[in-house]
């Protein structure tokens, strides 16, 4: 039995039937194998998934610093998504920063029985009176949809009454099968109500949006620093350290960069249809990946000066970290890692681990879709099921005034040959024969994998961090970076290398077994009687 | 930090800002983790369970297992019966617990799922058990969830055989495993045979052995919960957290109870020890008296640094009441006391404390939030904040030292292993609070005033 078979062997037949297509062991065969993803979790399985609200409020909308995000629902959801995702943000000059605040309608039983719209309206009024925000976002939780509160109508009314921008999101937790539905709903809301409403023109010659960058541990700041050094104008970041004010002008950028494909590819696609903006899949996690991404961006614009400047910056940044990377590489070479993240990180971090000589033998996602694993070419083959049909798919037409394309079809064709323009090959092609890929990974499978592979380090989230650690395997949280970072770009690579070396080598690992359990005790008794 | 908080207080009725409570299920989950070989099960969409497990893991730095019914839209419309039945089957199959403790979420509550009747329709393997508690998140707080789950276990499992077992049942309240260990130590020293329920020690503070155990050694056993009805007495700690299960036990099984405050500080620990002494008809052993004496010694030694210092205390109702009384014993003034849990009993108890110690100008409020507390502090500051991690932004904004105590503490290590209850816990609290105030004095004083001996 190979590892995959042994993993699945523990299940009774009905669970086995469900799980078997979510678990792949890669083989030496041509082509990318098919995986089942984005389907319902088996009830009772201790999954790592969250819900639609977590994807909408927690991931995409929550990090917008200049808007007051009100969670409409009972207290829990708002409370748990308060300050827990490390999407760092600093107020822009003269701007407001709501990130340290948690706003909720704290629905009570009477609101559930008689409807919560009245309370939501009152909450908006109070927010306006106290904070005078320019933007308010409303995120719905489970009961809101069930009792039929119309958050969109309330939002429209608030816009009229207070002359502000107010957007409602119907991101009730039960929608879809995971956080993923919430990303989609959030993307739709931003596209419908925010993007394209500003009229500030770019200041620089080449301007960019960074999509799917949530500034965990300051990653986005590190990316911006490097890109600005080269000379790019960053119009907006979705949504780490992001602001509605900036995102309103996103449509004026020359090119969209996509970091987290899962959470934001909808915006990239919709902007392509509406404004003609091309998008490029980038990865700033890893030295090699960062260099490639920087070169790709320059190549897209095709300006020799820009390319030269890109090389200068790369050389300079590399020189600054070279020695450190070599040092850690020597200590980490030959180690093997497992990584389970929500969406794109499992792919992104493989590049960085590889730079450090660490092979990723186990990888998986909480809530990815087949295209995140197999590449976007499979999208036409993905069958819609009832759960995904419940999430609105916007039909986007080209904007008659703003739609523009940079290149002719022939040029684009040539560019596509060399660059990941409007495309993403997925994670699996970067993995090797024997490696394991698991979708919607769960507790028992994680335990099994630890036993079967004995990896040197395992990256996951807080829910299984201590399970992994208690099993004797060093574990680091890859969603929150264990409160460290940034891990992006050149300097980030060194931070990461240092942190994982620390976790693998910390002296406490050698102290687990008490000496009286590993040493013969006879000696003690003998010396006791001496002299 | 928190730059947008204005000084002018605005009476809010609808908008909760920076809450000081959370939802019922997380309390229910914590209670269920304190039962040996129990799998907590969240009936609703998997997002809730994910948040609750995350949150408990962040406080305890330990795994917090729980399964979920994983609702999608269909289940939300047609009811979660089939989801929970499949879930229970799978949980017994895969994780093999002795018992599954189901709690509801606001989703299953809103659609009106009758979990009780689902359970009676289930195929439960021989020797295994399923219990449930209704824990709607739009009522009360995580404190309600904690005691509702205790009631769930009692309703389903507890029996009265008629032959008393001579034990005292101890309901410890919503406290850390380190606190539970300290209570157990005191109970043993008092030679009181007891059952503590729930008991998260050795579950949420299990040792590192290199081998992961899904069901660690600790937790109240099912036999013990069953036999609660045969206990001769209940000591229920936490006037707000433990009253409901105690009442239930009295109503159903006629087991009398003594309701006491959480034993934080001298007087509250005294009541605990006195009660035990009466129940077990034993003298208080020298070891306990010695520790009490050490504590008083500490309070007298350090009082110049704590006398009339003001504190803002926030968190769970019984914890806040306990911390406030201990502050009063140290000569401090608990100027502001808030809890997010909507229980007016909290304010009543707080007023009683103010009267007992003759302090004036203090405010206590239930169903309050940290935004409001911050506004009060902006208008009239205090010397120290005592409470959960969520007050750290106020501490930074107003440059006030913060002593972390209660639930949740997400940004520090070790706290959950060491007690706040009992005389030993009070010593630790005295150290934390006094040191915070003394560090502050050192930091703020002029160079020529810096003292090596204090
Ligand atoms: S949906 Fe309800 S039970 Fe779930 S986290 Fe939110 S408040 Fe808590
Ligand atoms: S990397 Fe994962 S957790 Fe992070 S935003 Fe993307 S999908 Fe979400």
């Amino acid at each position: 039995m190979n590892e995959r078979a042994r993993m699945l062997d523990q299940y009774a037949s009905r669970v086995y039937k469900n799980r078997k297509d979510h678990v792949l062991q890669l083989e030496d065969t041509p082509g990318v194998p098919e995986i089942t993803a984005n389907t319902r979790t088996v009830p009772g399985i201790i999954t790592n998934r969250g819900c639609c609200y977590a994807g909408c409020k927690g991931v995409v909308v929550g990090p917008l610093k200049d808007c007051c995000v009100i969670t409409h629902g009972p207290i829990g959801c708002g409370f748990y998504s308060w300050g827990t995702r490390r999407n760092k943000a600093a107020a822009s000059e003269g701007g407001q920063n709501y990130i340290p605040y948690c706003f909720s309608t704290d629905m009570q039983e009477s609101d559930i029985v008689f409807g919560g719209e009245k309370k939501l309206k009152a909450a908006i009024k109070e927010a306006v009176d106290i904070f005078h925000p320019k933007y308010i976002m409303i995120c719905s939780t489970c009961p809101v949809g069930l009792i039929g509160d119309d958050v969109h109508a309330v939002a429209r009314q608030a816009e009229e009454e207070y002359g502000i921008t107010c957007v409602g999101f119907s991101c009730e937790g039960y929608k879809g099968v995971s956080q993923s539905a919430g990303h989609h709903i959030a993307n739709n809301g931003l596209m419908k109500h925010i993007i394209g409403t500003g009229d500030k023109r770019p200041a620089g010659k080449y301007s960019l949006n960074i999509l799917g960058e949530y500034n965990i541990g300051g990653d986005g700041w590190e990316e911006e620093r490097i890109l600005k050094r080269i000379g790019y104008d960053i119009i907006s970041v979705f949504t780490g350290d992001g602001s509605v004010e900036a995102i309103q002008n996103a449509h004026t950028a020359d090119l969209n960069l996509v970091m987290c494909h899962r959470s934001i590819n909808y915006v990239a696609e919709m902007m392509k249809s509406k404004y003609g903006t091309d998008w490029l899949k980038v990865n700033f996690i890893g030295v090699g990946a960062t260099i490639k991404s920087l070169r790709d961006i320059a190549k897209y614009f095709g300006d020799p000066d820009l390319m030269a400047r890109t090389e200068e910056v790369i050389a300079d940044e590399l020189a600054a970290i070279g020695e450190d990377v070599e040092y850690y590489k020597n200590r980490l070479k030959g180690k093997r890692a497992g990584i389970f993240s929500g969406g794109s990180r499992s792919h992104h971090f493989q590049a960085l681990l590889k730079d450090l000589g660490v092979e990723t033998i186990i990888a998986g996602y909480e809530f990815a879709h087949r295209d995140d694993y197999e590449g976007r070419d499979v999208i036409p083959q993905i069958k819609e099921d009832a759960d995904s049909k419940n999430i609105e798919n916007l039909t986007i037409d080209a904007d008659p005034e703003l739609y523009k394309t940079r290149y002719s079809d022939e040029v684009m064709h040539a560019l596509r040959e060399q660059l990941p323009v409007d495309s993403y090959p997925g994670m699996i092609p970067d993995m090797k024969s024997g490696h394991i890929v698991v979708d919607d990974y769960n507790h028992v499978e994680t335990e099994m994998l630890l036993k079967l592979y004995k990896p040197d380090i395992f990256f996951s989230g807080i829910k299984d961090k201590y399970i992994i650690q208690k099993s004797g395997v060093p574990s680091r949280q890859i969603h929150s970076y264990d409160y460290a970072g940034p891990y992006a770009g050149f300097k980030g690579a060194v931070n990461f290398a240092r942190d994982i070396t620390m976790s693998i080598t910390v002296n406490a690992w050698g102290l687990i077994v008490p000496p009286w359990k590993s040493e013969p005790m006879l000696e003690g008794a003998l010396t006791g009687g001496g002299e | 930090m928190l730059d947008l908080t204005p000084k002018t207080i605005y009476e809010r009725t609808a908008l909760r800002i920076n809450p000081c409570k959370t939802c019922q299920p997380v309390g229910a989950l914590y209670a269920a983790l304190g039962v040996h070989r129990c799998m907590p099960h969240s009936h609703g969409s998997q997002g809730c369970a994910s948040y609750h497990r995350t949150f408990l893991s962040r406080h305890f730095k330990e795994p917090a297992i729980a399964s979920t019914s994983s609702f999608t839209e269909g289940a939300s419309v047609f009811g979660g019966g089939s989801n929970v039945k499949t879930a229970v089957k799978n949980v017994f199959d895969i994780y093999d617990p002795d018992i599954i403790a189901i709690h509801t979420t606001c989703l299953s509550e809103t659609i009106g799922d009758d979990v009780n009747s689902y359970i009676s329709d289930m195929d439960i393997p021989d020797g295994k058990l399923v219990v449930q508690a209704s824990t709607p998140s739009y009522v009360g707080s995580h404190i309600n969830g904690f005691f509702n789950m205790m009631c769930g276990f009692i309703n389903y499992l507890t029996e009265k055989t008629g032959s008393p077992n001579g034990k005292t049942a101890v309901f410890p309240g919503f406290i850390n495993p380190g606190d539970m260990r300290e209570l157990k130590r005191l109970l043993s020293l008092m030679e009181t045979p007891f059952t503590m329920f729930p008991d998260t020690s050795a579950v949420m503070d299990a040792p590192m052995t290199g081998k992961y155990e899904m069901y660690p050694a600790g937790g109240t056993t099912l036999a013990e919960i069953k036999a609660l009805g045969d206990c001769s007495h209940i000591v229920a700690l936490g006037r707000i957290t433990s009253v409901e299960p105690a009442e239930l036990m009295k109503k159903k099984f006629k087991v009398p109870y003594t309701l006491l405050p959480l034993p934080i500080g001298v007087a509250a620990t005294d009541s605990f020890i006195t009660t035990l002494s009466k129940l077990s008809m034993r003298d208080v052993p020298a070891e306990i008296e010695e520790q009490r004496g050490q504590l008083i010694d500490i309070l007298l030694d350090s009082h110049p640094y704590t006398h009339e210092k003001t504190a803002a205390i926030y968190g769970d109702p019984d914890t806040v009441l306990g911390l406030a009384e201990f502050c009063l014993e140290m000569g401090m003034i608990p100027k502001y006391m808030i809890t997010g849990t909507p229980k007016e009993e909290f304010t009543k108890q707080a007023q009683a404390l103010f009267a007992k110690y003759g302090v004036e100008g203090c405010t206590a409020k239930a169903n309050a939030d940290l935004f409001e507390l911050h506004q009060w502090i902006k208008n009239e500051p205090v010397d120290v904040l005592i409470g959960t991690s969520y007050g750290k932004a106020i501490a930074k904004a107003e440059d006030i030292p913060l002593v972390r105590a209660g639930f949740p503490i997400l940004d520090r290590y070790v706290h959950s292993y060491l007690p706040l209850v009992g005389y030993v816990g009070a010593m630790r609290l005295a150290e934390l609070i006094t040191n915070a105030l003394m560090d502050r004095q050192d930091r703020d004083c002029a160079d020529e005033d810096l003292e090596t001996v204090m």
Side-chain angles (χ1 to χ4, degrees), chain A residues 10-12 14-15 40-55 57-58 68 70 74-85 95-98 100-110 112 118-127 129-131 141-143 146-147 173-179 366 387 390-391 442-444 447 462-464 466-473 477 480 483 509 512-513, chain B residues 1-6 10-26 39 41 45-55 57-58 60-77 82-84 86-91 93-95 106-108 110-111 136-142 203 205-214 342 367 370-371 374-375 390 393 408 410 413 417:
Chain A
Q10 62 194 321
Y11 290 128
R14 58 179 188 281
V15 177
R40 295 179 187 183
T41 297
V42 181
I45 289 278
I46 303 186
T47 170
N48 282 298
R49 279 178 167 177
C51 65
C52 183
Y53 167 84
K57 154 66 165 58
C68 175
I70 301 177
I75 198 65
C77 323
F79 182 76
Y80 302 118
S81 56
W82 173 26
T84 46
R85 216 173 146 263
Q96 294 177 311
N97 182 8
Y98 291 96
Y101 293 89
C102 165
F103 303 96
S104 165
T105 52
D106 189 6
M107 285 171 101
Q108 298 298 301
E109 195 150 28
S110 58
I112 303 291
K118 221 173 89 197
K119 193 168 197 192
L120 176 60
K121 281 182 205 164
I124 292 174
K125 179 175 181 332
E126 291 173 7
D129 286 350
I130 299 171
F131 299 100
T141 68
C142 287
L146 297 171
I147 63 173
Y174 55 77
K175 288 204 170 147
V177 298
S178 68
Q179 286 95 319
E366 268 174 44
D387 296 308
N390 287 333
I391 313 302
N442 62 49
H443 178 117
V444 264
E447 265 195 81
I462 186 74
K463 293 189 290 283
D464 43 7
Y466 300 107
I467 294 166
I468 297 161
Q469 208 156 281
K470 280 229 151 79
S471 310
V473 176
Q477 298 177 63
S480 71
Y483 326 109
W509 282 122
I512 295 171
V513 183
Chain B
M1 195 86 246
L2 299 177
D3 295 332
L4 305 177
T5 307
Y10 179 107
E11 282 305 322
R12 283 170 285 132
T13 59
L15 187 64
R16 176 73 64 206
I17 314 174
N18 297 356
C20 187
K21 64 167 179 184
T22 184
C23 62
Q24 286 211 38
V26 80
M39 176 68 79
H41 181 87
S45 140
Q46 67 229 356
C48 307
S50 175
Y51 274 142
H52 303 148
R53 289 176 59 211
T54 295
F55 196 66
S57 281
R58 283 183 170 148
F60 296 104
K61 319 293 181 201
E62 288 292 320
I65 51 162
S67 52
T68 146
S69 297
S70 282
F71 276 37
T72 54
E73 199 138 14
S76 309
V77 177
S82 88
N83 280 55
V84 75
T86 316
V88 164
K89 217 181 273 165
N90 288 336
V91 169
D93 249 26
I94 302 170
Y95 308 108
C106 50
L107 172 51
S108 52
T110 307
I111 60 175
S137 347
Y138 40 79
V139 176
S141 75
H142 57 292
V203 180
D205 63 355
M208 173 74 189
T209 58
K211 199 171 162 274
Y212 167 71
E213 304 278 358
M214 186 157 211
N367 199 18
L370 292 172
F371 184 76
H374 188 188
Q375 291 196 306
Y390 282 95
L410 310 172
Y413 291 81
Y417 292 80

Side-chain angles (χ1 to χ4, degrees), chain B residues 16-17 37 40 72 78 168 172 220 299-300 334 342 412 429 446-447:
Chain B
R16 176 73 64 206
I17 314 174
R37 292 191 59 82
T72 54
F78 302 114
T168 297
T220 318
L299 298 187
L300 288 169
R412 288 296 184 271
L429 264 177
D447 289 359

Side-chain angles (χ1 to χ4, degrees), chain A residues 59-60 85 179 183 212-214 216 259-264 341-346 348 365-367 478-479:
Chain A
V59 174
V60 183
R85 216 173 146 263
Q179 286 95 319
H183 301 150
E213 172 49 66
Y214 301 100
I216 305 295
M259 269 295 279
C260 177
H261 178 259
R262 182 65 266 141
S263 62
I264 207 97
S341 76
S344 301
R345 287 179 206 279
S346 294
H348 291 160
Y365 291 128
E366 268 174 44
F367 45 72
I478 207 63
H479 310 310

Side-chain angles (χ1 to χ4, degrees), chain A residues 372-446:
Chain A
D372 301 300
Y373 294 100
E374 302 171 49
R376 288 186 70 92
D377 291 348
V378 301
I379 290 178
Q381 299 165 40
I382 298 177
K383 284 189 243 55
E384 280 237 309
D385 58 15
D387 296 308
S388 34
K389 270 191 211 138
N390 287 333
I391 313 302
E392 186 188 16
N393 244 324
L394 300 183
T395 337
I396 302 283
D397 298 320
D399 185 299
E401 274 152 44
L402 298 170
Y403 187 90
K404 57 177 194 309
T405 45
R406 176 171 280 272
Y407 296 117
S408 67
D409 286 353
E410 294 103 82
V411 178
M412 274 315 285
H413 190 77
L415 269 182
R416 272 210 185 90
E417 299 277 280
Q418 312 163 40
L419 300 177
V421 188
D422 308 340
S423 73
Y424 176 47
M427 176 177 79
I428 290 177
D430 277 344
M431 297 188 69
K432 287 203 216 119
S433 165
H435 292 177
I436 281 255
V437 179
V438 181
D439 174 69
D440 183 13
Y441 65 98
N442 62 49
H443 178 117
V444 264
E445 289 169 13
T446 309

Side-chain angles (χ1 to χ4, degrees), chain A residues 107-319:
Chain A
M107 285 171 101
Q108 298 298 301
E109 195 150 28
S110 58
D111 306 315
I112 303 291
V113 178
F114 301 110
E117 283 180 26
K118 221 173 89 197
K119 193 168 197 192
L120 176 60
K121 281 182 205 164
I124 292 174
K125 179 175 181 332
E126 291 173 7
V128 170
D129 286 350
I130 299 171
F131 299 100
H132 319 290
K134 283 199 232 166
Y135 318 103
I136 291 181
M137 308 276 176
I138 305 158
C139 292
S140 311
T141 68
C142 287
V144 170
L146 297 171
I147 63 173
D149 278 1
D150 187 347
V151 297
H152 307 283
V154 174
R156 273 196 304 276
Q157 203 193 331
E159 290 202 330
E160 278 168 33
E161 206 168 329
Y162 307 113
I164 56 169
T165 302
C166 185
V167 184
F169 295 87
S170 291
C171 54
E172 293 85 352
Y174 55 77
K175 288 204 170 147
V177 298
S178 68
Q179 286 95 319
S180 173
H183 301 150
H184 195 164
I185 289 167
N187 284 201
N188 287 350
L190 296 180
M191 193 64 199
K192 264 201 246 178
H193 300 279
I194 309 288
I195 298 167
T197 57
D199 50 15
K200 194 171 152 217
R201 310 303 307 168
K205 191 167 173 198
Y206 300 113
S207 58
L208 307 168
N209 295 313
I210 310 180
L211 307 186
E213 172 49 66
Y214 301 100
N215 202 30
I216 305 295
D219 274 356
W221 287 332
E222 188 54 18
E223 290 156 25
E224 279 187 72
R225 183 187 68 79
I226 300 166
L227 290 165
K228 281 182 181 159
R229 265 195 90 180
I230 297 175
Y232 295 106
D233 183 11
I234 312 293
I235 305 289
S236 67
V237 181
F238 286 60
T239 49
D241 193 35
S243 65
V244 176
E245 189 149 32
I247 283 176
Q248 286 178 328
N249 298 308
H251 61 291
T252 64
D254 295 310
L255 177 67
N256 280 329
L257 308 180
V258 172
M259 269 295 279
C260 177
H261 178 259
R262 182 65 266 141
S263 62
I264 207 97
N265 78 85
Y266 314 96
V267 161
E269 276 297 291
M270 290 187 280
M271 285 184 69
K272 168 87 186 150
S273 315
K274 187 162 179 182
Y275 306 111
T277 321
D278 289 316
W279 63 269
L280 201 59
K281 178 70 184 84
V282 292
N283 177 19
F284 292 112
I285 304 291
V287 178
T290 302
I291 293 174
K292 178 175 184 300
S293 295
L294 293 175
R295 286 185 179 147
D296 283 355
I297 303 165
K299 226 184 275 169
Y300 172 83
F301 291 113
D303 174 339
D305 287 346
L306 190 68
M307 291 190 209
R309 177 71 190 141
T310 300
E311 294 306 323
E312 261 171 52
V313 170
I314 291 173
D316 190 51
E317 296 273 342
L318 271 182

